[in-house]
Amino acid sequence: MVTRVSGLASGMDTDSLVKKLMDAERIPLTKFKQKKQTLEWQRDDYRAMNTLLLDFRSALTQMKLSTNYRVRTTASTDDTKVTATATSAAAQSSYSISKVEKLATAATVVNTGKISGDGGKIDTSKSLIEFKSNIKTVEPGSKDQFASAITWETGSVESQTVTLKKGEGIAQLNLKEYGDQTPKQKQVIDLGKMNVKVNGQNFEITTIAPTDTNKLKDNQVYVKSDGSLEFAQSVSKNGDINVKVDFIADKAVDSFTVGKDTTTTQLSKGALNTVAKLIITEKDGTKNNYDVFGTKIGSESNPIGEIDLATGKITWAENQTFTDETKIEAEYTQNYFTFNLQTSTSKGDVSENFLIQGSDSLNNVISKVNSSNVGVSMMYDSFSDKVTLTRTETGDFNTKNPVYEADGQTIIKNDPDIIIGGSFLTDILKFNQNDVKDGQNAKFIINGLPTERNSNTFTMNGVSFTLKQTFDATNSPVTVSVNNDSNQVFENIKKFVTQYNELIDKIQEKTSEERYRTYTPLTDEQREQLSDKQQEQWEEKAKSGLLRRDSTLTSLLTKMRTDFYTSVDNSEAGMYNQLAKIGISTTPNYLEGGKLEINETKLKAAIEADPQAVEKLFNASGNGYGQQGIVQRLYDSVNNTMDKIKEKAGNSFSTNAQFTLGKELNLLNTKIDSFEDRLLKIEDRYYRQFTAMETAISKANSQSTSLMQYFS
């Protein structure tokens, strides 16, 4: 950097002079920057056009679909008995349903009596352990009595989600360690009370080790007592999967770290049966083991704390103190029970174990059943104080009820659609296995053919029927007719024509904009001299006409007009091989660029007369241009233009080096950087010259002063 000397000797404003000189030097740089701004605006205009074409291409994609031309409407002679809807795949036809013998029903069972005792209706939101004394149980030969009706088991209900790695066959449960001996003991799991789900689907549990001859099936899991789960290799072939496991352990093991101000500690589970041991380890390693007597910790007479067995909350005595980072470990069991439900479904027989903690409420139990894969809905009605179970699918899926002959008698195997297992369902909720009403199929006669369906709503040949009631109308059957919805087809074509005209409008507007060449992009100095409104008006003119008479866009308009005019040489189009024949033609005003107008009467008549020919006029695929439908031609034309625009202006994901305008911008950026470096050198040169002049003047002044002093 040159040392810059102000004009003290000469009396000239050096900075002002240099600035004016540099303003003249910067004129080419300003033009470079204005050119860059113009290219960026032009690039953005091209991309905006490509966005319009992308939207129109999406509309063309939709117009390729037959659903736009085969809109079906249905009519039933008696909607109270049979209704129907139809997809575009349905043929125009008629169906006659002369009899509906049975409607499809779901398997269901209602319990045999009320479940509450004389203490009033149970509170379904309270834990089961709390209202156990108000559950009514019935023993043979005795009156209704109230007791601890639920048969509680002791252990710990656990749930874990483990990961089965891609291509691997084994996942491992995390069984907790407890005790102070070495090695420590681990939780023991009950292999008979487990649920293993992969992607929400139950897996069949086996305790028989797989061999080369007895390999695991894709829906099986081999479970070992150490908590390892072995699957078939194919289960995780596509990637890591999550495996959810619900199981029963012999005891619960909790571990907490507390601080010196701790007064209460909450165990992870409630409905405790017994607390076997509690270990407190101080920060310095001091360890104390405490036995628990009922609810008292340490001793019955002077406990260090007390446990609420219902909630699992420990309240510490006032004289019990802790240090920071004290570790508390607890070993205990909780009250729980299990039950099982099995159903026959469209996917085969499904079975699931339900592991219920004493702290769960009846609402929790109902929620677990309803959200399970077993496919039933449980409901408690407080008014009747009764419970129902209903399979979520209608129909008869029970393949275990074969009819066979034995000793000359017809025998039906009794294996109901819902199988109830567990004393909670039978003794507490009062379900009786013999009261299960199996689901039945809908039985009906359609077009003279007796048939069945699992559901009252079924699809046949693209028509979805819904049976609403049983009837026998042999002499006056219910007729369902399927016809083409001409009005909707007309609206679809009209909407497409509107979208095309809107595209033409916008392209015409852009390619015919006036170009104001005297309005160049504003410099920073020019902006300072204009108001915001003036800047806006100026830029509006500066941006105008950047795509005026653009060859890519004007060629597209010409190509699309050709696509519309050229007849479709395809036998499927029949007599309607040109748009004009179905009432669609270009407007007489050539300045509109080939916009379309519709003769509604003629178009509707064509749709009514031959909807298939109208469809093929638009969406025929064909082997060549002449055989292609109008929509396919337009799609190709628009797609080619979009590629050309992208090649010229790129898109938001493109780098400048990937499109033509971007390369020009890169070149301008290089010129701008080079010119700015050159200007710095010129500015330094000016300042050196002025500095030299100031130095010379200063010396002359100094010499003059010396001479005057000499002569004086």
Side-chain angles (χ1 to χ4, degrees):
M1 177 67 70
V2 176
T3 302
R4 298 177 177 182
V5 180
S6 61
L8 294 175
S10 65
M12 292 188 294
D13 186 352
T14 304
D15 290 336
S16 178
L17 288 171
V18 172
K19 182 179 181 303
K20 290 179 180 179
L21 288 168
M22 290 307 298
D23 285 344
E25 296 285 351
R26 283 195 179 92
I27 290 175
L29 178 63
T30 301
K31 290 182 178 179
F32 285 151
K33 289 184 176 180
Q34 288 174 325
K35 175 63 175 175
K36 178 184 175 182
Q37 180 64 77
T38 301
L39 286 176
E40 288 176 344
W41 284 341
Q42 190 177 42
R43 176 201 62 194
D44 294 343
D45 280 352
Y46 273 123
R47 290 181 179 180
M49 287 293 101
N50 240 7
T51 301
L52 289 175
L53 294 177
L54 177 62
D55 292 341
F56 185 64
R57 191 179 67 177
S58 298
L60 290 170
T61 301
Q62 291 299 314
M63 287 302 291
K64 288 183 182 182
L65 304 177
S66 296
T67 52
N68 286 288
Y69 313 97
R70 302 179 192 175
V71 184
R72 302 304 190 220
T73 180
T74 59
S76 171
T77 56
D78 192 340
D79 285 342
T80 64
K81 295 176 180 177
V82 181
T83 59
T85 58
T87 66
S88 61
Q92 297 185 65
S93 55
S94 178
Y95 298 86
S96 175
I97 300 178
S98 56
K99 182 178 183 179
V100 176
E101 181 183 339
K102 290 181 179 179
L103 291 177
T105 59
T108 186
V109 57
V110 180
N111 71 345
T112 57
K114 298 181 178 182
I115 64 173
S116 300
D118 289 343
K121 299 286 178 65
I122 62 173
D123 186 342
T124 57
S125 64
K126 286 188 176 181
S127 65
L128 294 171
I129 204 78
E130 288 184 71
F131 68 73
K132 63 183 181 180
S133 61
N134 193 40
I135 297 176
K136 182 186 292 186
T137 181
V138 180
E139 293 185 357
S142 67
K143 295 182 179 180
D144 290 356
Q145 61 178 359
F146 309 102
S148 299
I150 298 176
T151 303
W152 297 102
E153 298 183 69
T154 58
S156 176
V157 177
E158 305 279 352
S159 182
Q160 290 184 20
T161 298
V162 295
T163 300
L164 184 63
K165 295 291 185 181
K166 180 180 179 180
E168 295 184 3
I170 296 182
Q172 181 68 50
L173 289 176
N174 176 28
L175 299 182
K176 297 177 183 177
E177 297 180 334
Y178 62 90
D180 53 0
Q181 66 271 37
T182 303
K184 290 189 174 184
Q185 292 177 268
K186 280 190 174 183
Q187 290 174 305
V188 178
I189 58 177
D190 188 337
L191 300 181
K193 299 174 182 176
M194 295 185 74
N195 284 319
V196 178
K197 293 184 179 181
V198 176
N199 295 329
Q201 297 300 314
N202 272 10
F203 267 49
E204 178 187 335
I205 296 171
T206 178
T207 54
I208 301 174
T211 62
D212 291 339
T213 57
N214 183 33
K215 294 184 178 181
L216 287 169
K217 298 177 182 177
D218 286 348
N219 66 335
Q220 284 185 321
V221 55
Y222 167 52
V223 185
K224 297 181 183 179
S225 58
D226 65 354
S228 61
L229 313 171
E230 183 175 346
F231 298 85
Q233 291 285 340
S234 58
V235 173
S236 60
K237 65 181 180 181
N238 295 323
D240 296 355
I241 57 173
N242 289 329
V243 181
K244 186 176 185 300
V245 186
D246 299 320
F247 62 97
I248 299 295
D250 61 327
K251 63 176 62 181
V253 180
D254 284 350
S255 179
F256 308 93
T257 299
V258 300
K260 61 182 180 181
D261 297 326
T262 299
T263 58
T264 61
T265 300
Q266 179 64 55
L267 298 179
S268 63
K269 302 181 186 301
L272 308 188
N273 182 269
T274 56
V275 180
K277 186 177 292 186
L278 195 140
I279 304 171
I280 299 178
T281 305
E282 302 292 348
K283 185 178 181 180
D284 61 4
T286 304
K287 181 179 292 187
N288 295 298
N289 292 344
Y290 294 95
D291 292 325
V292 179
F293 303 91
T295 63
K296 311 289 186 180
I297 301 172
S299 72
E300 292 184 275
S301 59
N302 187 27
I304 65 169
E306 189 167 353
I307 301 177
D308 184 337
L309 297 180
T311 63
K313 182 179 180 180
I314 301 175
T315 302
W316 301 104
E318 290 185 3
N319 60 354
Q320 175 60 32
T321 59
F322 299 101
T323 60
D324 283 334
E325 299 183 33
T326 298
K327 184 179 180 181
I328 299 176
E329 299 169 87
E331 303 167 20
Y332 59 93
T333 60
Q334 65 171 164
N335 291 303
Y336 77 93
F337 62 85
T338 67
F339 63 87
N340 176 274
L341 283 172
Q342 179 179 315
T343 58
S344 299
T345 72
S346 58
K347 298 178 181 178
D349 289 343
V350 180
S351 177
E352 186 163 333
N353 294 318
F354 294 89
L355 315 180
I356 309 300
Q357 304 177 64
S359 54
D360 285 330
S361 66
L362 183 57
N363 285 342
N364 294 144
V365 175
I366 292 172
S367 177
K368 288 180 180 180
V369 171
N370 293 346
S371 61
S372 71
N373 293 323
V374 79
V376 296
S377 174
M378 178 182 282
M379 183 189 75
Y380 169 70
D381 176 47
S382 60
F383 181 80
S384 62
D385 195 29
K386 299 182 76 174
V387 187
T388 66
L389 276 173
T390 304
R391 191 179 59 191
T392 52
E393 287 184 295
T394 60
D396 181 9
F397 300 105
N398 195 345
T399 58
K400 296 181 180 180
N401 280 354
V403 179
Y404 61 96
E405 297 290 332
D407 299 328
Q409 295 182 342
T410 300
I411 299 175
I412 301 178
K413 181 181 177 182
N414 183 21
D415 196 352
D417 284 353
I418 300 176
I419 298 179
I420 298 167
S423 61
F424 177 74
L425 295 181
T426 56
D427 298 344
I428 307 304
L429 298 188
K430 311 293 188 304
F431 283 113
N432 189 328
Q433 186 67 69
N434 296 327
D435 291 335
V436 175
K437 294 181 180 179
D438 286 341
Q440 66 179 21
N441 289 340
K443 294 186 176 183
F444 55 97
I445 299 175
I446 184 167
N447 289 356
L449 175 68
T451 186
E452 298 183 21
R453 290 293 187 278
N454 299 127
S455 172
N456 293 315
T457 298
F458 58 92
T459 300
M460 183 181 290
N461 298 332
V463 182
S464 178
F465 297 89
T466 299
L467 307 178
K468 292 190 170 183
Q469 59 176 286
T470 59
F471 63 89
D472 187 351
T474 306
N475 296 326
S476 57
V478 177
T479 300
V480 174
S481 56
V482 181
N483 299 295
N484 202 41
D485 189 346
S486 300
N487 286 332
Q488 187 57 55
V489 175
F490 169 80
E491 290 298 329
N492 291 342
I493 295 175
K494 182 179 178 181
K495 178 182 177 183
F496 167 66
V497 170
T498 300
Q499 289 173 317
Y500 172 76
N501 287 340
E502 288 173 352
L503 176 69
I504 296 297
D505 261 343
K506 290 173 182 176
I507 294 177
Q508 282 275 96
E509 179 184 353
K510 203 65 185 172
T511 56
S512 60
E513 274 184 343
E514 187 68 34
R515 183 78 176 103
Y516 301 95
R517 297 189 180 278
T518 56
Y519 285 82
T520 56
L522 293 169
T523 63
D524 292 338
E525 292 80 1
Q526 289 171 332
R527 287 182 181 279
E528 292 175 0
Q529 298 170 14
L530 299 175
S531 66
D532 291 344
K533 183 65 175 177
Q534 288 172 326
Q535 290 179 37
E536 182 182 337
Q537 292 172 339
W538 184 284
E539 284 200 347
E540 185 178 337
K541 289 187 180 295
K543 290 180 178 180
S544 176
L546 295 179
L547 300 184
R548 181 175 175 81
R549 295 174 184 165
D550 180 78
S551 59
T552 304
L553 294 173
T554 54
S555 295
L556 173 62
L557 295 179
T558 302
K559 185 66 172 64
M560 289 196 295
R561 285 196 292 272
T562 303
D563 293 338
F564 274 115
Y565 294 150
T566 306
S567 61
V568 178
D569 186 15
N570 191 311
S571 59
E572 292 179 303
M575 60 179 292
Y576 298 130
N577 62 348
Q578 283 186 315
L579 274 184
K581 292 183 178 181
I582 65 170
I584 302 176
S585 58
T586 55
T587 60
N589 185 356
Y590 74 94
L591 295 176
E592 291 185 329
K595 291 174 68 174
L596 301 176
E597 60 183 5
I598 299 175
N599 182 326
E600 296 191 2
T601 303
K602 195 172 181 180
L603 177 56
K604 288 180 179 179
I607 295 170
E608 288 283 355
D610 195 345
Q612 185 177 1
V614 172
E615 175 187 344
K616 293 306 174 184
L617 172 64
F618 283 95
N619 72 355
S621 53
N623 295 322
Y625 183 82
Q627 293 185 354
Q628 287 179 341
I630 292 169
V631 170
Q632 185 61 54
R633 295 172 182 172
L634 289 170
Y635 186 91
D636 292 341
S637 298
V638 169
N639 213 40
N640 290 335
T641 301
M642 289 179 66
D643 289 341
K644 290 178 182 178
I645 292 177
K646 183 179 177 183
E647 190 176 314
K648 190 166 188 176
N651 58 29
S652 58
F653 303 105
S654 303
T655 62
N656 280 352
Q658 293 175 310
F659 57 96
T660 304
L661 290 180
K663 293 174 183 177
E664 290 185 41
L665 286 169
N666 281 345
L667 184 59
L668 274 173
N669 285 331
T670 302
K671 288 182 177 180
I672 289 171
D673 291 341
S674 176
F675 204 88
E676 285 178 338
D677 290 340
R678 180 170 173 268
L679 288 177
L680 285 174
K681 293 176 182 178
I682 292 173
E683 188 178 41
D684 283 346
R685 177 165 58 83
Y686 282 139
Y687 271 109
R688 278 198 299 269
Q689 290 172 340
F690 277 108
T691 300
M693 181 191 73
E694 292 290 336
T695 302
I697 293 173
S698 180
K699 283 183 178 181
N701 289 340
S702 178
Q703 290 173 351
S704 174
T705 302
S706 297
L707 285 172
M708 295 206 41
Q709 288 177 350
Y710 177 78
F711 285 117
S712 66

